[in-house]
Amino acid sequence: MTLPPKLSARDFTRAVAELRSIVGADWVFTEEDDRQAWRDPMFPGDARRVDLSAAVAPATVQEVQAVVKVANRYRLPLWPVSTGKNYAYGGASPALKGTIVLDLKRMNRILEVNEQYGYAIVEPGVTYFDLYRHIKAKGLKLWIDCPSPGWASVLGNAMERGLGNTPYSDHAAQQCGMEVVLPTGDLVRTGMGAIENSPLWGLQKNPFGPTFDGMFMQSNLGIVTKMGIWLMPEPEVFAQCNIRLQREDALGPMIDALRPLRLNGTIQNPASVRSWIGMLLGQATKKEVHDGPGAIPRELVPQILQQRNLSWWSTGFSLYGYEEVVEANLKVVRKALGSVPGAEALSVRKSAGDKVPDSAGTQAGVPSLGAFSTLNWPGGRGSHLDFSPVYEPSGAVAMAEYQFMRELFERHGFDFPATYSITSPRYMACVTPIMFDADNRQQAEAAGRLFLEAHQHLGTKGYGLYRAHVAFMDQVQQAQGFNQHALRRLSERIKDALDPQGILAPGKQGIWPKAMKGGRA
Ligand code: ADP
């Protein structure tokens, strides 16, 4: 039995009985077999280090509030998840052993989809598949923006500032209005939701006064029970572009050629330059390509590229909008990218916005689970730990970081599936999976060591991560050292003010309540 810290088995049993009386006996899970469902199957090391004590699944906002009240009385740490599919960053796993997972996936109503104004209001359990199917079934001319695995929660992904691949890729930026249960059980609505029955909840983010929405993202200050999210109007034309680069050193020139097009809005969605190994992950197992220990030896690369019809890099982005505008932009793009060394001709797949093939994937907001084919790569119980640094969109930086990281990954025995994506016009967020077999303890721990060393390198250059696995949140927070960690000190002052009992997600993002600072790694 795993217990919350400082709680006796007797009090835990009592608390669980109270939780059962709120949500129903079937919706509190304490048995070993049940709890397995919330453990992170991709934990880089021993997942039981942060084992949950129980999971509770309320069905309404009132039940969430009642659970929070019980948690305050017994000092039960609660870890809210929407669908808990945050894999590669911790899944549903808490940061503190003995925490109770507060699973919100039963709250799965799509409360509104507004075609006229382009937004939806959803509960935490609504997945990208749910929202996509709803829109298709109703024939609405709206597109969603989804991350690679479509089973994730629309709300949960925005809470972690997740990224997709249409022009609406920055999910935190598309959020508009929240309903939040505070750590003391009070209920607030942000934005125009602060006015009863406002027709503007999904339209205008700013209330009269300060805004707090960003404070609830990547934090442990509230449980979000409803969220407005903007949806893109279906474009008349969608043109998916790809350009292969036959030279390793073409990465830098391509980033420099793409940057102005992103900055001036010619390319509106993340433009990514993916390495051959990034392309190969979903197509083969490591063993099929090279049956030896460690990373694939460099001297084999030219032969592999030839055999598998791959190029060193593959650049992908799309154009969206009226036919005439897309055609004009295609001309501009061809001219700007054609002179990159080793660049092949631009390949374009054009379709009408309402007839986009499923194969267009996340660039057209089509959710799927296709990304999981990459898990076959390492063999065994294929897993990944994502290392997601943020850089300025500069060719020189991309080349230098590529060379450094490739060497570092290989030294630790891992292939380096690099992708340099100009996610926002002003930065690259480079989600890089460290692929490992979760049943191979040695390999899982090596993945963690690589992550930490790579992260340490970022700090020496003033870079950081946009998101990180729960196992390393303390270290990533620690790297934000300006003025004796003033940002963490601010976060923890707010934490103690809003959550005096320290019940909500202790340790998330490296932010600990006063009484538990000793828990910091
Ligand atoms: P997804 O399944 O969409 O990947 P998760 O449900 O796993 O997302 O959520 C990812 C993380 O975001 C959680 O671990 C939690 O820290 C935070 N989070 C998700 N949903 C909520 C919520 N409704 N309220 C507060 N925090 C949340």
Side-chain angles (χ1 to χ4, degrees):
M1 190 178 194
T2 302
L3 292 172
K6 296 187 186 156
L7 201 74
S8 67
R10 214 175 105 226
D11 281 350
F12 181 64
T13 308
R14 275 199 198 141
V16 165
E18 288 200 36
L19 295 177
R20 290 206 161 108
S21 74
I22 296 165
V23 299
D26 286 349
W27 299 105
V28 181
F29 304 87
T30 54
E31 297 303 317
E32 167 63 23
D33 282 356
D34 290 333
R35 285 186 292 135
Q36 181 62 22
W38 287 274
R39 285 191 191 115
D40 178 14
M42 301 191 187
F43 201 89
D46 184 2
R48 302 206 179 218
R49 182 159 71 70
V50 289
D51 205 12
L52 64 151
S53 55
V56 53
T60 64
V61 178
Q62 292 71 28
E63 287 183 10
V64 174
Q65 289 179 282
V67 166
V68 166
K69 296 262 187 227
V70 171
N72 272 281
R73 262 195 287 117
Y74 287 90
R75 294 204 170 192
L76 304 174
L78 293 178
W79 184 273
V81 299
S82 287
T83 49
K85 300 280 200 286
N86 191 25
Y87 297 129
Y89 298 108
S93 173
L96 174 75
K97 188 168 182 166
T99 298
I100 296 177
V101 175
L102 179 65
D103 188 315
L104 303 172
K105 71 166 80 69
R106 290 175 71 206
M107 296 168 64
N108 62 355
R109 288 177 304 162
I110 297 172
L111 298 167
E112 184 184 357
V113 178
N114 191 308
E115 187 180 36
Q116 186 176 11
Y117 297 125
Y119 71 83
I121 297 180
V122 293
E123 291 189 329
V126 174
T127 69
Y128 290 99
F129 283 126
D130 295 336
L131 188 55
Y132 181 80
R133 286 183 191 132
H134 177 96
I135 287 170
K136 288 279 162 204
K138 295 221 169 309
L140 305 177
K141 295 208 165 297
L142 292 170
W143 278 18
I144 65 162
D145 185 282
C146 51
S148 309
W151 64 4
S153 151
V154 175
L155 185 158
N157 193 271
M159 290 297 287
E160 289 295 293
R161 308 195 187 111
L163 300 166
N165 281 308
T166 76
Y168 281 39
S169 93
D170 180 348
H171 296 167
Q174 312 309 330
Q175 174 270 329
C176 186
M178 289 176 174
E179 180 183 84
V180 191
V181 176
L182 295 178
T184 47
D186 202 2
L187 188 69
V188 292
R189 286 184 179 168
T190 68
M192 296 309 284
I195 294 174
E196 295 270 4
N197 301 319
S198 173
L200 297 177
W201 174 324
L203 300 180
Q204 143 74 320
K205 295 179 184 213
N206 299 328
F208 179 75
T211 54
F212 294 106
D213 306 56
M215 187 178 84
F216 295 109
M217 293 176 178
Q218 288 203 4
S219 77
N220 48 12
L221 301 171
I223 301 161
V224 178
T225 46
K226 293 182 183 70
M227 183 184 280
I229 193 98
W230 288 338
L231 301 173
M232 181 170 120
E234 179 182 281
E236 184 178 278
V237 164
F238 165 72
Q240 194 162 23
C241 303
N242 188 268
I243 180 160
R244 289 162 41 118
L245 304 174
Q246 295 295 3
R247 282 172 55 163
E248 188 178 19
D249 62 3
L251 168 65
M254 181 49 96
I255 294 292
D256 286 334
L258 288 168
R259 182 186 51 251
L261 301 173
R262 278 295 274 131
L263 203 54
N264 68 20
T266 307
I267 298 177
Q268 296 176 322
N269 73 328
S272 66
V273 187
R274 176 160 297 177
S275 62
W276 64 274
I277 187 116
M279 303 296 290
L280 189 54
L281 284 187
Q283 301 171 15
T285 66
K286 165 84 177 282
K287 215 167 169 179
E288 283 163 7
V289 180
H290 173 65
D291 195 5
I296 296 174
R298 305 224 72 220
E299 57 275 16
L300 297 186
V301 178
Q303 188 191 327
I304 296 169
L305 298 186
Q306 203 182 24
Q307 279 169 353
R308 303 209 165 242
N309 187 26
L310 291 166
S311 52
W312 271 101
W313 301 98
S314 180
T315 303
F317 57 88
S318 297
L319 301 175
Y320 307 79
Y322 294 112
E323 170 88 47
E324 294 90 332
V325 179
V326 167
E327 272 309 311
N329 283 337
L330 269 174
K331 263 192 211 148
V332 174
V333 162
R334 270 203 185 91
K335 196 163 146 213
L337 306 184
S339 55
V340 170
E344 292 184 352
L346 186 78
S347 100
V348 181
R349 280 199 304 167
K350 220 163 101 178
S351 48
D354 60 349
K355 300 211 167 42
V356 165
D358 284 354
S359 60
T362 55
Q363 291 189 49
V366 181
S368 84
L369 293 178
F372 285 110
S373 58
T374 61
L375 298 181
N376 294 327
W377 180 258
R381 194 154 59 80
S383 299
H384 60 127
L385 168 65
D386 283 1
F387 177 70
S388 304
V390 180
Y391 303 113
E392 65 269 50
S394 142
V397 168
M399 277 311 290
E401 285 295 302
Y402 165 64
Q403 270 148 9
F404 179 90
M405 289 295 175
R406 195 198 64 216
E407 197 270 327
L408 183 68
F409 270 59
E410 289 176 2
R411 187 147 41 80
H412 283 265
F414 294 93
D415 300 300
F416 179 47
T419 299
Y420 293 87
S421 176
I422 311 185
T423 328
S424 132
R426 289 173 181 79
Y427 66 78
M428 299 191 289
C430 301
V431 179
T432 315
I434 305 173
M435 309 298 305
F436 66 98
D437 169 4
D439 283 333
N440 179 337
R441 179 62 71 83
Q442 243 180 339
Q443 211 179 70
E445 285 172 358
R449 282 195 299 277
L450 166 58
F451 178 95
L452 286 174
E453 201 175 326
H455 176 248
Q456 204 168 23
H457 159 79
L458 294 183
T460 65
K461 306 259 171 188
Y463 298 132
L465 301 175
Y466 105 87
R467 195 170 171 186
H469 193 283
V470 281
F472 304 114
M473 284 179 170
D474 282 337
Q475 291 90 336
V476 178
Q477 182 62 252
Q478 175 72 10
Q480 303 187 132
F482 171 75
N483 189 17
Q484 295 160 359
H485 303 96
L487 185 60
R488 183 173 66 201
R489 286 189 285 114
L490 172 64
S491 298
E492 291 187 343
R493 281 217 304 282
I494 295 172
K495 174 73 181 160
D496 291 335
L498 292 189
D499 185 7
Q501 303 292 345
I503 56 126
L504 199 62
K508 178 163 161 60
Q509 244 60 34
I511 299 164
W512 291 89
K514 203 181 232 152
M516 291 186 209
K517 294 220 186 349
R520 196 166 355 250

